[in-house]
């Protein structure tokens, strides 16, 4: 039946509630700087840049032009999402560079790696073969790291070294 999935219990069907990922948060240290990094260096487009309510929270989202239904929101840790103590802890973790923010894909890892490097993107790892494709790793201007990869045609190659 369309829109329904069978759960673990025989003969019981439930409506599919989750349709997919729409927005994911990337914690940043400065929204203006992050907006510039994600648009001018990575080439993403601004989807939203607004302030919610009088003196409220700034809401910035960016995304890939060919993927209009998925956005990254660039948020500074703090209210209303977290208390001041938690916000300071999160800012320290971001700045330290220990948070991975996700995986971004391309169909030309070698060419795009060079373009991003020429734009000043800091790479922690140059493109390397992995079981899932070719992967490079970079940091954003706040310290978050991203896997940047070109997926392998034909799926996983479990004979390849994971490189970890």
């Amino acid at each position: 039946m369309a829109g329904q999935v069978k759960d673990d219990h025989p003969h019981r069907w439930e409506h599919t509630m989750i349709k997919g990922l729409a927005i994911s948060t990337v914690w940043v240290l400065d929204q203006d700087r992050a907006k510039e990094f994600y648009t001018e260096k990575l080439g993403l487009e601004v989807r939203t840049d607004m302030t919610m309510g009088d003196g409220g929270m700034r809401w910035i989202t960016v995304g890939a032009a060919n993927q209009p239904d998925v956005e990254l929101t660039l948020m500074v840790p703090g209210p209303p999402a977290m208390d001041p103590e938690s916000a300071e802890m999160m800012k320290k973790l971001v700045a330290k560079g220990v948070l991975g923010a996700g995986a971004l894909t391309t169909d030309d890892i070698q060419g795009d790696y060079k373009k991003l490097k020429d734009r000043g993107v800091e790479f922690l790892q140059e493109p390397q073969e992995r079981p899932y494709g070719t992967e490079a790793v970079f940091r954003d201007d706040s310290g978050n790291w991203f896997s940047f990869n070109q997926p392998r045609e034909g799926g996983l190659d479990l004979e390849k070294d994971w490189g970890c």
Side-chain angles (χ1 to χ4, degrees), residues 41-129:
K41 291 191 178 184
L42 298 186
L44 301 180
E45 62 184 21
V46 174
R47 303 278 175 75
T48 309
D49 187 350
M50 62 180 271
T51 301
M52 300 171 122
D54 292 332
M57 174 181 79
R58 186 169 177 200
W59 181 257
I60 300 174
T61 64
V62 296
N66 65 345
Q67 196 175 26
D69 56 338
V70 177
E71 299 175 280
L72 299 175
T73 181
L74 307 175
M75 298 290 297
V76 174
M82 59 185 71
D83 62 83
E85 181 184 356
S86 297
E88 285 309 308
M89 290 170 41
M90 180 64 80
K91 287 176 186 176
K92 286 179 183 176
L93 289 172
V94 170
K96 189 174 181 180
V98 298
L99 298 179
L104 303 174
T105 61
T106 181
D107 57 4
D108 180 11
I109 188 75
Q110 298 297 338
D112 291 339
Y113 165 77
K114 182 178 179 342
K115 286 177 195 169
L116 292 176
K117 198 165 170 88
D118 289 348
R119 291 180 188 169
V121 174
E122 175 193 359
F123 278 86
L124 304 174
Q125 173 194 295
E126 61 187 34
Q128 295 180 12
E129 293 297 317

Side-chain angles (χ1 to χ4, degrees), residues 14-30:
E14 292 184 11
H15 177 75
T16 306
M17 295 183 292
I18 298 173
K19 304 294 182 192
L21 178 67
I23 300 174
S24 184
T25 300
V26 177
W27 297 107
V28 299
L29 302 177
D30 179 292

